[in-house]
Amino acid sequence: MSLRERLWLFSQMPPTLSSERLVCQGNKMKMVRLGFFVKLGLLIVALLVAEFVLPDYVSRFVFRFVTDIGLRSSAETEPVITARQSLPESAILTNEFAFQLIPLDAETDRAAGVWGPDPFGQFMVVDQRATEILGIDLVPFFRNLGWHYPEDVQGGIKQLFDIEGHAFGLFGLQDDQGCVFSAVIDIQNQRIVQRFPCLFDEPGIWLSQIGGGYAVIGDTVLIGTGTGNGQTWRSGNMAAQDSQNPYGKILRFRIEIGLDGPVLIFDGIWASGLRNPQGLAQIGDHLLGIDHGPQGGDEINVLHPGGNYGWPFFSIGSQYNEGDIPAFAPPGSVFNNPLHAFLPSEAVSDISPCPSVIGTAYQHADCALVSSLFGESLLIVLGDFSADQVWVVERVPLGVRVREVFLHNDELYIVPDFASVTRIDVTRIPCLTGNDPCGIEDSAILE
């Protein structure tokens, strides 16, 4: 075969590593790399959207992801908020009312209660970490008992009680043997009313979950106690269903008058099956209580003597790690349903009757006010509480974490975290109640 024929045959063979194929493969590699970076960018955008646009639902995936890869500790901690909170300067308007916030002098970090007002109209706020309360130094009293506030689990006074003008408190404490417990203390007489047993013997105790709601009804005071659990499931939750355990209950105390003021006598368990009952209020003929739930599942309950409200066997919420609550009710168990449950969670903190200006406007409904920490709001709850019905929950956004809400002489007050006691002047908007709706003279109110 001649050289020309051999060259012709070689030219007819399919190319293997021709320059054209190398160029094609190079372009393909570039496209692969480009596709990888596009997908990575889309993933980052999706995570940012999950974190900042949908915080109540999807952002918990981000928390779990950064925890799993070691960028964030999974330790049980509450959000640390140190900055002073600023209150809105202008009135907050809803469809029916104008809410004007007027800060007073008393300030707190996290309030355990408010005392007063004094003859000058001033309130005294008691912070949860306070050891001197109403001018009474409790440190020597606790030291003699071998008790102290455990800092690592948020010990301190959880609620200040005003019983016939006499100060009592629910405290979260630890003794010298390491037992973490709660107790009701007569503050002014420095006397133990009731010491409760040690909480569960495993990590995860969180004394901010120890309850503190109270209501005085005639010669009885009802006090709510929580289970003391943090953000992870612990066996201590089962205390709410243990008839011999005082935690997770509404406890009844009989009020008797002694030589040095009222005396509280423990009179048994009034209701059970609660996680963290931080607020109680007598509203009309009903005793209402809020129960600070787990992740979701905050509740408003109409509380009845002997009622069992289901925790931890029954809850709308879930664990903070998204898991189901690992508790199963015995066959045949019957629980009281909540009047209303919140999803997502509001972090409800207290409950109060409505001032008459709101109650009159909604005179055909039962009316309650619920304060919210996470939602930074007051919630107006309307319904027929006798029929276990809530018709509407109207939000009043305040922009601050509201720890307590209460009435004094039919005036509305709140105690935000890291801010001052605040009176809220509530006014019905004239242009919604007059004969000439939204007339010219009234229109300035809405601007």
Side-chain angles (χ1 to χ4, degrees), residues 32 111 145 157 168 189 203 242 251 280 287 295 351 357 375 402 446:
V32 169
L145 294 169
I157 177 170
F168 295 81
N189 290 318
D242 183 351
L251 305 178
L280 302 178
L287 177 67
Q295 183 166 277
I351 188 168
V357 63
V402 185
L446 298 177

Side-chain angles (χ1 to χ4, degrees), residues 172-191:
L173 298 158
Q174 186 174 29
D175 65 20
D176 290 343
Q177 287 72 48
C179 168
V180 178
F181 63 97
S182 70
V184 178
I185 304 293
D186 179 340
I187 295 172
Q188 287 174 253
N189 290 318
Q190 300 187 47
R191 183 168 56 205

Side-chain angles (χ1 to χ4, degrees), residues 235-373:
S235 61
N237 282 292
M238 298 303 296
Q241 294 296 326
D242 183 351
S243 62
Q244 304 302 311
N245 194 305
Y247 296 114
K249 309 293 194 301
I250 304 297
L251 305 178
R252 179 172 54 200
F253 291 81
R254 189 172 68 256
I255 303 173
E256 297 184 357
I257 303 301
L259 295 177
D260 50 5
V263 178
L264 301 186
I265 309 297
F266 180 64
D267 198 24
I269 293 172
W270 201 78
S272 61
L274 299 164
R275 181 179 183 269
N276 185 19
Q278 291 181 316
L280 302 178
Q282 182 78 23
I283 299 177
D285 297 329
H286 312 286
L287 177 67
L288 265 62
I290 55 99
D291 195 15
H292 195 138
Q295 183 166 277
D298 292 345
E299 294 179 356
I300 306 173
N301 291 299
V302 179
L303 298 169
H304 303 284
N308 186 333
Y309 294 85
W311 179 260
F313 297 142
F314 174 83
S315 176
I316 301 297
S318 64
Q319 293 193 73
Y320 282 87
N321 64 1
E322 301 288 311
D324 293 335
I325 296 169
F328 302 95
S333 299
V334 177
F335 304 117
N336 296 73
N337 290 322
L339 174 68
H340 186 74
F342 295 93
L343 278 176
S345 177
E346 289 282 347
V348 294
S349 54
D350 202 3
I351 188 168
S352 166
C354 293
S356 60
V357 63
I358 298 178
T360 300
Y362 301 125
Q363 57 184 309
H364 299 297
D366 294 321
C367 182
L369 291 178
V370 173
S371 56
S372 165
L373 294 165

Side-chain angles (χ1 to χ4, degrees), residues 40-339:
L40 180 61
L42 291 174
L43 176 61
I44 292 172
V45 170
L47 290 176
L48 290 174
V49 169
E51 182 66 24
F52 297 107
V53 179
L54 302 172
D56 292 329
Y57 299 97
V58 189
S59 65
R60 291 187 287 270
F61 166 79
V62 181
F63 173 80
R64 294 198 304 274
F65 176 74
V66 298
T67 299
D68 291 342
I69 65 176
L71 295 180
R72 178 171 179 173
S73 170
S74 60
E76 295 176 323
T77 57
E78 282 194 341
V80 177
I81 303 173
T82 56
R84 309 300 301 176
Q85 296 204 69
S86 58
L87 298 166
E89 295 181 0
S90 58
I92 299 167
L93 303 181
T94 65
N95 288 337
E96 186 76 14
F97 302 100
F99 296 82
Q100 182 67 56
L101 278 62
I102 303 173
L104 306 180
D105 292 335
E107 292 187 349
T108 184
D109 288 343
R110 284 187 172 94
V114 178
W115 195 262
D118 62 20
F120 303 99
Q122 298 299 308
F123 289 95
M124 177 181 292
V125 184
V126 176
D127 189 79
Q128 292 186 14
R129 296 295 301 165
T131 55
E132 182 175 316
I133 301 171
L134 306 181
I136 301 169
D137 185 3
L138 294 178
V139 172
F141 171 66
F142 288 143
R143 185 184 296 122
N144 290 335
L145 294 169
W147 299 354
H148 64 277
Y149 291 174
E151 295 185 2
D152 55 336
V153 292
Q154 291 201 339
I157 177 170
K158 299 292 113 177
Q159 185 65 56
L160 178 69
F161 308 140
D162 181 350
I163 312 294
E164 304 284 345
H166 197 90
F168 295 81
L170 178 69
F171 289 79
L173 298 158
Q174 186 174 29
D175 65 20
D176 290 343
Q177 287 72 48
C179 168
V180 178
F181 63 97
S182 70
V184 178
I185 304 293
D186 179 340
I187 295 172
Q188 287 174 253
N189 290 318
Q190 300 187 47
R191 183 168 56 205
I192 302 171
V193 174
Q194 192 80 20
R195 173 182 168 159
F196 302 122
C198 302
L199 287 158
F200 53 95
D201 188 20
E202 58 181 309
I205 292 175
W206 207 243
L207 288 173
S208 62
Q209 309 287 336
I210 207 65
Y214 84 105
V216 178
I217 305 173
D219 61 353
T220 297
V221 58
L222 301 174
I223 298 175
T225 59
T227 58
N229 279 252
Q231 295 184 352
T232 303
W233 171 264
R234 294 290 185 266
S235 61
N237 282 292
M238 298 303 296
Q241 294 296 326
D242 183 351
S243 62
Q244 304 302 311
N245 194 305
Y247 296 114
K249 309 293 194 301
I250 304 297
L251 305 178
R252 179 172 54 200
F253 291 81
R254 189 172 68 256
I255 303 173
E256 297 184 357
I257 303 301
L259 295 177
D260 50 5
V263 178
L264 301 186
I265 309 297
F266 180 64
D267 198 24
I269 293 172
W270 201 78
S272 61
L274 299 164
R275 181 179 183 269
N276 185 19
Q278 291 181 316
L280 302 178
Q282 182 78 23
I283 299 177
D285 297 329
H286 312 286
L287 177 67
L288 265 62
I290 55 99
D291 195 15
H292 195 138
Q295 183 166 277
D298 292 345
E299 294 179 356
I300 306 173
N301 291 299
V302 179
L303 298 169
H304 303 284
N308 186 333
Y309 294 85
W311 179 260
F313 297 142
F314 174 83
S315 176
I316 301 297
S318 64
Q319 293 193 73
Y320 282 87
N321 64 1
E322 301 288 311
D324 293 335
I325 296 169
F328 302 95
S333 299
V334 177
F335 304 117
N336 296 73
N337 290 322
L339 174 68

